[in-house]
Amino acid sequence: MVSKINCVSLWGLDGYKVEIETDSRPSQEPAIDIVGLPDAAIKEARDRITSAVANCGYRIPSAHIIVNLAPADVKKEGTMFDLPMLLGILSSTGQIPVPDDDIAFFGELSLSGNIRRGRGVLAAVIAAKELGFKAIFVPEENADEGAVVEGIDVYAAPDVLTVIHHIEKEHLLSPVKKTLDEIIGSLPPSGDDFAYIVGQQTAKRACEIAAAGGHNILLVGPPGSGKSMIAKSLPSILPDMSFNEIIESSKIYSIAGKLTEKEPLCVRRPFVRSNQNVSMAGLTGGGSVPNPGLISLAHNGVLFLDEVAEFSQKILDTLRQPLEDNVITVNRVKKSLIFPSSFMLVCAMNPCPCGYYGHPSVPCRCKESQIEKYMGRISGPLLDRIDLQVSLPPVSASDIAENSGLAESSAEIKKRVDAARKRQTDRLAAYGFTCNAKMSPKAIRELCNISPEASALLNKIMERSNVSMRSYDKIIKIAQTIADLAESDVILPEHVLEASHFRSLDKKYNV
């Protein structure tokens, strides 16, 4: 008897239908053969299935069982085929009914017949819905992440017997229902807040502008000036994620195996921190079936590169393409994968190798050539793509004493950011952009209302400074964000002046 069970397989963020065909024929030498380009993990499933079947009170008959994963010309990887293959074997041997054709199954088995937590469940549920399935069974521990998808019933499967009893209609399960409000309400509050940062008003202002307009930012300052703390606090003032952004980011985190039972969805702006030892595959994504890298994990959030001058030139140059295109392409022999990578790049670095160039009290031990070489590690093209460039002064003991109370909280700053972002989304909706940083040159020319005085000032700045056309557009974008924060419909000279101030490092260090 031939039975057919449906499953969903993933390639990157995309899913496709896999039909698990099982044929059972009496044989003197019982065997289970799995065909259809399975990997080693799938081939080993025969032992997990044999043990799970016995421990659930069923049996593997004396038969030659062939399991085919169709389409047979596509490589299959992972352990999420365990459950549908077990159901296929039991149904082909007449021990259970064949499930309805509009149901998909997704789960790894333990030897006892329990269904283990897995990765990629949210992406699988979305793919199953797009493929026309009415229901899908997923591991119970992953059910909440898939339950927010509307248009498909998601069933939590704790073990094989529970699934079989539902198929046999002995004990029907109810679909899992979960709302975003329930998930968000169960999360603990974030601990990072600008209220706890002493001084650094210029850096805080730059972060407010960056958050309001989605701009990239570089923080340059001596050790102990608060660069890392400021960067980690930035997500606390970013606008809340929309439903579509939550789903996009959660799919990436689901495939990467980074969602948990306590946090089944990525409902906060991601903050991804990388160190200098990151590999190319770790940054961009990799593997035989590529998993998302740090660039994609930061999608809709922040990618923070601490001590950015210590990163290899190759790694830094890799950032240029996703910063422009908001996607990262991972090439493989048979197929290329495209992962989303729309993130805010936040970089921090010392002003020189020893860290004390320009410090008022600690002498710098570096030679001028060393400083130039150190700052030159950030190429001009990459610096052009970093909108805001901020110098942080050292924090002295007197600064700490004078600022013993709490500073303005992130909640207060976020109110201004949200209002500015609302102005942008309304203005940019027809162009398909969500924030000022994403504006195209055409959108800049058509939407940015610059006063004659501001335009004249900008032209003077361009004449005096050797900056690129990209920097010219960056200044307009930043000035537009400053105008939005000021609730001004027109870009005024003071907006241009402040914006140009945050483009000063490329001239100061001649990089």
Side-chain angles (χ1 to χ4, degrees), residues 45-274:
R46 70 187 73 185
D47 297 320
R48 294 192 294 273
I49 290 171
T50 300
S51 179
V53 165
N55 286 318
C56 290
Y58 293 88
R59 61 185 181 86
I60 301 291
S62 296
H64 182 200
I65 299 173
I66 300 176
V67 180
N68 178 45
L69 310 180
D73 61 342
V74 179
K75 180 75 173 178
K76 319 296 187 313
E77 295 197 357
T79 56
M80 291 297 147
F81 298 97
D82 287 9
L83 176 60
M85 285 196 293
L86 179 146
L87 297 176
I89 290 172
L90 293 183
S91 59
S92 70
T93 56
Q95 299 180 70
I96 66 170
V98 178
D100 294 338
D101 195 48
D102 57 4
I103 302 176
F105 299 87
F106 193 81
E108 174 190 338
L109 297 173
S110 71
L111 298 184
S112 63
N114 292 328
I115 299 175
R116 297 184 182 277
R117 180 180 185 85
R119 61 172 63 186
V121 168
L122 176 61
V125 172
I126 293 173
K129 174 190 172 182
E130 293 173 348
L131 290 167
F133 291 106
K134 292 183 179 180
I136 183 171
F137 283 80
V138 300
E140 184 177 44
E141 294 181 19
N142 295 103
D144 283 355
E145 69 181 82
V148 296
V149 180
E150 297 180 351
I152 185 171
D153 290 334
V154 178
Y155 292 98
D159 52 60
V160 170
L161 284 177
T162 300
V163 177
I164 291 176
H165 292 158
H166 180 92
I167 294 171
E168 294 177 335
K169 296 182 171 51
E170 289 186 10
H171 186 275
L172 293 176
L173 298 175
S174 298
V176 179
K177 300 296 182 183
K178 201 79 171 181
T179 65
L180 279 180
D181 289 340
E182 290 176 311
I183 294 174
I184 294 172
S186 65
L187 298 179
S190 174
D192 297 312
D193 197 300
F194 277 99
Y196 303 105
I197 297 175
V198 175
Q200 303 298 6
Q201 296 304 319
T202 300
K204 291 179 183 178
R205 172 62 174 172
C207 286
E208 181 178 341
I209 296 170
H215 302 287
N216 304 320
I217 183 171
L218 170 65
L219 305 171
V220 182
S225 56
K227 301 185 296 293
S228 297
M229 189 174 182
I230 289 171
K232 288 191 292 185
S233 298
L234 185 55
S236 67
I237 63 173
L238 291 175
D240 295 333
M241 297 177 76
S242 67
F243 178 79
N244 288 337
E245 287 177 326
I246 289 173
I247 295 300
E248 287 175 358
S249 294
S250 297
K251 280 179 68 175
I252 297 169
Y253 274 70
S254 176
I255 289 190
K258 294 187 177 294
L259 295 181
T260 65
E261 195 170 2
K262 290 184 178 180
E263 295 191 26
L265 291 177
C266 182
V267 297
R268 291 174 176 159
R269 298 276 176 189
F271 180 84
V272 178
R273 183 171 185 166
S274 176

Side-chain angles (χ1 to χ4, degrees), residues 376-420:
R377 291 178 181 177
I378 303 181
S379 65
L382 179 59
L383 193 62
D384 257 357
R385 290 167 171 82
I386 299 177
D387 305 8
L388 301 162
Q389 307 154 4
V390 190
S391 289
L392 280 72
V395 179
S396 65
S398 59
D399 292 330
I400 297 174
E402 291 174 4
N403 295 274
S404 56
L406 293 180
E408 186 179 27
S409 69
S410 291
E412 291 300 314
I413 300 173
K414 187 175 181 298
K415 290 178 182 178
R416 298 193 295 270
V417 169
D418 288 341

Side-chain angles (χ1 to χ4, degrees), residues 460-496:
K460 285 184 180 179
I461 292 171
M462 288 294 294
E463 290 172 2
R464 294 175 182 175
S465 306
N466 184 24
V467 296
S468 67
M469 193 63 204
R470 182 182 283 113
S471 292
Y472 178 85
D473 284 349
K474 294 287 188 188
I475 292 175
I476 297 178
K477 290 179 182 181
I478 298 167
Q480 181 64 70
T481 300
I482 295 170
D484 289 331
L485 285 167
E487 300 183 353
S488 173
D489 294 328
V490 180
I491 298 176
L492 302 175
E494 56 265 32
H495 305 149
V496 171

